[in-house]
């Protein structure tokens, strides 16, 4: 409870256990003259230690709480407590602040906690009456004693009243204290609960704080990682951008190339069309050539057939020729023999007669006579054979004819004519002839 300079510390609690006797007031007058300053004398018992904000108040008798003071003064602290504790202290109340009525008042010492530590006997602010003085000065001892006794009784009655009120105050204060203590206990239990809760909350918060710290560390490490990753990604991005630029350049090149290729392609398509036309023409030409070839083949086949027939004829003729050759050789040998015989006969005749100029003729004649002696008749002189034996000249002539005629026939038979170009080949070169004819079919 904060207090201003003008407001002393007070308390609703008035009476503490055995606290009224800790400060003792002395030399308290019954009457103080109004308009004059009042000096209050007091002293501390040994167990009491005054404090800085203790004060002394003037209370109307019958007060219930220390808040009901009329006026007050701060207590001056003694410089050395140990020595001067028992020494008499004093405080002066200025006349201006004192009560102006003639009620009963008393001094009370209140410590800085608002607890009353001592109380004085009651007094009044009024001049002493003439009566009192007269009683003291003019009446006899009995009256004086009676008067004093009456005063004492009155004082006693007042003190009793004061005591009763104080006791009442005490019981009220104790009841209040009881309720306050109960309230305090309740508050303490609430406080304990709150403290427990607070500790629990504190533990909870600490674990939460730890978790948050760990989380924070995680987050910061992740953040670092993310930073690294971002740098990597940025590097990657820049390389990819470069690649992209290269690709764009390449794309442009390719596009140009493509354009060129398209142009080339269109040219090629044009040339292809031309070539197709040419091809068509060529195909037509080929078709014509094929037809011609087929015709040529047919013709060749015909020629081959003809050739084959001619070859067969030729081989037949060859056989005949061989036969004739052999016959000729035979005839030549016979002729030789006849010649020899003729010579022998000539020689023989020469021995018996002169040699005649037609010796040769006779020998020829002899040979002609020998002719019918042939084993096989001459096939080319059938007419001469059927005729009567010729004369010597005729025989010679026949011989000449016989020699000439077969030759011609032989030439006609054995010579080989090319059916295509008409070239003539001797019969001995039959192979050459066949190759030549074959060449035309190629
Ligand atoms: Zn030919």
């Amino acid at each position: 409870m904060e207090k201003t300079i003008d407001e002393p510390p007070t308390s609703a609690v008035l009476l503490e256990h055995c606290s009224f006797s800790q400060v003792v007031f002395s030399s308290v007058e019954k009457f103080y003259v109004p308009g004059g300053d009042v000096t209050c004398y007091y002293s501390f018992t040994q167990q009491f230690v005054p404090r800085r904000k203790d004060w002394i108040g003037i209370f109307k008798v019958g007060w219930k709480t220390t808040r009901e003071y009329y006026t007050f003064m701060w207590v001056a602290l003694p410089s050395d407590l140990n020595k001067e504790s028992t020494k008499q202290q004093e405080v002066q109340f200025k006349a201006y602040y004192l009560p102006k009525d003639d009620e009963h008042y008393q001094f009370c010492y209140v410590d800085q906690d608002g607890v009353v530590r001592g109380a004085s006997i009651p007094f009044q602010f009024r001049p002493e009456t003439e009566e009192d003085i007269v009683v003291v000065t003019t009446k006899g001892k009995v009256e004086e004693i009676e008067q004093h006794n009456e005063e004492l009784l009155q004082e006693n009655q007042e003190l009793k009243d004061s005591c009763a009120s104080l006791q009442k105050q005490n019981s009220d204060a104790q009841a209040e204290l009881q309720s306050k203590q109960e309230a305090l206990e309740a508050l303490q239990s609430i406080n304990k609960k709150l403290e427990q809760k607070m500790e629990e909350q504190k533990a909870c918060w600490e674990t939460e704080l730890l978790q948050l710290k760990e989380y924070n560390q995680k987050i910061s490490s992740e953040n670092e990682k993310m930073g690294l990753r971002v740098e990597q990604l940025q590097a990657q991005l820049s390389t990819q951008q470069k690649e992209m630029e290269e690709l764009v350049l390449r794309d442009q090149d390719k596009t140009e190339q493509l354009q060129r290729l398209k142009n080339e392609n269109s040219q090629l398509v044009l040339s292809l069309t031309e070539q197709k036309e040419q091809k068509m023409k060529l195909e037509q030409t080929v078709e014509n050539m094929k037809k011609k070839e087929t015709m040529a083949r047919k013709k060749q086949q015909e020629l081959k057939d003809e050739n084959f027939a001619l070859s067969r004829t030729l081989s037949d003729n060859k056989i005949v020729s061989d036969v004739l050759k052999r016959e000729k050789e035979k005839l030549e040998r016979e002729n030789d023999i006849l010649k020899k015989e003729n010579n022998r006969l000539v020689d023989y005749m020469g021995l018996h007669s002169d040699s005649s100029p037609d010796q040769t003729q006779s020998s020829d004649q002899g040979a002609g006579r020998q002719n019918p002696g042939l084993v096989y008749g001459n096939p080319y002189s059938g007419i001469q054979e059927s005729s009567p034996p010729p004369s010597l000249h005729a025989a010679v002539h026949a011989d000449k004819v016989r020699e000439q005629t077969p030759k011609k026939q032989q030439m006609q038979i054995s010579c080989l004519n090319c059916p295509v170009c008409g070239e003539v080949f001797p019969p001995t070169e039959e192979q050459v002839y066949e190759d030549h004819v074959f060449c035309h079919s190629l």
Side-chain angles (χ1 to χ4, degrees):
M1 205 158 40
E2 184 133 352
K3 303 217 164 35
T4 62
I5 296 295
D6 298 319
E7 298 237 343
T10 57
S11 169
V13 179
L14 176 64
L15 301 171
E16 287 280 300
H17 311 287
C18 58
S19 60
F20 267 55
S21 56
Q22 286 174 350
V23 177
V24 179
F25 292 93
S26 54
S27 310
V28 179
E29 303 285 337
K30 287 179 189 171
F31 305 99
Y32 290 98
V33 179
D37 297 341
V38 171
T39 305
C40 168
Y41 301 98
Y42 61 95
S43 56
F44 304 115
T45 53
Q46 277 193 335
Q47 64 266 28
F48 182 75
V49 178
R51 287 177 292 175
R52 198 169 55 82
K53 287 220 161 182
D54 293 353
W55 53 281
I56 292 172
I58 294 176
F59 291 80
K60 191 183 273 186
V61 171
W63 55 271
K64 290 197 169 57
T65 69
T66 50
R67 286 173 193 155
E68 296 170 23
Y69 63 90
Y70 186 85
T71 184
F72 79 97
M73 289 295 289
W74 294 114
V75 166
L77 285 181
S79 54
D80 190 347
L81 284 171
N82 289 330
K83 281 184 184 175
E84 295 178 295
S85 59
T86 53
K87 204 175 168 183
Q88 185 168 275
Q89 310 284 325
E90 62 175 63
V91 65
Q92 195 172 48
F93 292 92
K94 291 291 175 189
Y96 176 77
Y97 299 104
L98 294 173
K100 305 291 187 281
D101 56 16
D102 57 352
E103 296 288 319
H104 288 87
Y105 291 91
Q106 65 179 153
F107 298 118
C108 288
Y109 188 102
V110 185
D111 70 8
Q112 67 181 25
D113 296 326
V115 177
V116 178
R117 298 293 184 173
S120 71
I121 57 166
F123 50 84
Q124 286 178 289
F125 294 96
R126 66 177 173 90
E128 283 185 76
T129 54
E130 292 295 315
E131 224 179 319
D132 297 329
I133 297 161
V134 170
V135 167
V136 174
T137 54
T138 58
K139 288 187 179 174
K141 274 192 177 179
V142 177
E143 281 181 348
E144 194 182 335
I145 288 163
E146 279 177 358
Q147 179 75 30
H148 191 61
N149 200 18
E150 199 174 320
E151 282 173 15
L152 283 174
L153 280 171
Q154 194 182 344
E155 196 176 326
N156 192 20
Q157 187 60 41
E158 283 169 1
L159 282 171
K160 272 181 185 171
D161 291 347
S162 174
C163 186
S165 79
L166 286 173
Q167 275 175 348
K168 192 172 180 289
Q169 281 175 1
N170 189 18
S171 63
D172 289 351
Q174 276 187 350
E176 201 173 342
L177 181 69
Q178 188 68 29
S179 68
K180 292 283 175 188
Q181 272 176 346
E182 282 168 9
L184 183 67
E185 277 169 14
L187 283 171
Q188 275 173 349
S189 71
I190 289 172
N191 195 24
K192 267 188 189 174
K193 279 179 192 169
L194 283 173
E195 272 174 2
Q196 274 183 350
K197 267 192 192 173
M198 198 174 81
E199 275 174 17
E200 284 168 15
Q201 191 69 40
K202 212 174 174 184
C204 195
W205 282 344
E206 272 170 9
T207 52
E208 257 181 53
L209 187 68
L210 277 177
Q211 283 172 355
L212 282 172
K213 274 182 185 171
E214 284 173 13
Y215 186 66
N216 193 23
Q217 277 181 347
K218 271 188 199 168
I219 290 287
S220 53
S221 66
E222 264 180 47
N223 196 18
E224 280 174 20
K225 280 181 196 165
M226 290 302 272
L228 288 175
R229 180 89 183 114
V230 164
E231 281 174 16
Q232 284 175 355
L233 284 173
Q234 275 176 348
Q236 217 176 327
L237 183 68
S238 61
T239 53
Q240 279 179 354
Q241 275 176 345
K242 279 180 192 168
E243 279 175 26
M244 185 77 182
E245 284 167 14
E246 285 173 14
L247 284 172
V248 167
L249 287 175
R250 262 202 266 171
D251 184 50
Q252 284 176 355
D253 288 352
K254 292 279 176 193
T255 310
E256 286 168 13
Q257 216 174 331
L258 184 68
Q259 193 57 41
R260 285 201 298 274
L261 285 170
K262 272 183 183 170
N263 293 339
E264 278 176 35
N265 191 27
S266 58
Q267 284 173 359
L268 284 170
V269 167
L270 281 175
S271 71
L272 184 68
T273 317
E274 287 171 9
Q275 281 180 358
K276 270 184 183 169
E277 287 169 6
Q278 275 183 346
K279 192 189 163 195
M280 291 275 280
K281 284 176 189 169
L282 282 171
E283 275 176 354
Q284 276 184 345
T285 314
V286 165
E287 196 66 30
N288 293 335
M289 295 291 278
K290 271 185 183 170
K291 281 176 187 168
K292 279 182 189 172
E293 193 198 351
T294 317
M295 284 165 70
R297 283 239 174 103
K298 271 183 191 170
K299 200 171 182 185
Q300 186 194 2
Q301 192 60 39
E302 286 169 12
L303 289 171
K304 266 188 184 171
D305 291 346
E306 200 176 336
N307 189 27
F308 185 70
L310 286 170
S311 296
R312 187 173 277 179
T313 314
L314 179 68
S315 64
D316 289 350
N317 286 343
K318 257 189 180 177
I319 293 166
V320 171
S321 168
D322 287 347
V323 169
L324 288 173
K325 266 183 188 172
R326 275 196 299 274
E327 199 176 333
K328 185 192 168 195
E329 282 166 7
K330 200 177 175 182
L331 286 172
E332 276 172 354
R333 276 194 304 271
E334 275 178 24
N335 194 28
D336 285 344
I337 292 165
L338 287 171
K339 268 182 183 175
K340 280 174 191 171
E341 199 177 340
N342 189 34
N343 284 340
R344 192 175 48 88
L345 286 171
V346 167
D347 287 346
Y348 180 73
M349 279 173 73
L351 288 176
H352 295 282
S353 62
D354 289 327
S355 60
S356 64
D358 41 25
Q359 216 175 345
T360 315
Q361 278 180 335
S362 65
S363 74
D364 280 344
Q365 236 177 337
R369 277 195 302 270
Q370 290 287 317
N371 239 4
L374 285 172
V375 180
Y376 310 104
N378 190 343
Y380 305 108
S381 54
I383 302 160
Q384 287 170 342
E385 287 233 316
S386 58
S387 61
S391 64
L392 195 58
H393 285 284
V396 171
H397 181 75
D399 270 356
K400 281 180 184 170
V401 170
R402 197 189 56 172
E403 282 171 8
Q404 286 170 356
T405 310
K407 270 185 190 168
K408 262 190 180 175
Q409 276 184 337
Q410 269 183 325
M411 280 289 281
Q412 278 174 349
I413 292 162
S414 55
C415 276
L416 301 166
N417 283 339
C418 173
V420 180
C421 64
E423 194 177 342
V424 179
F425 293 86
T428 52
E429 293 176 357
E430 193 180 344
Q431 189 60 45
V432 177
Y433 161 77
E434 283 175 2
D435 291 343
H436 170 84
V437 171
F438 184 68
C439 278
H440 284 297
S441 66
L442 294 176

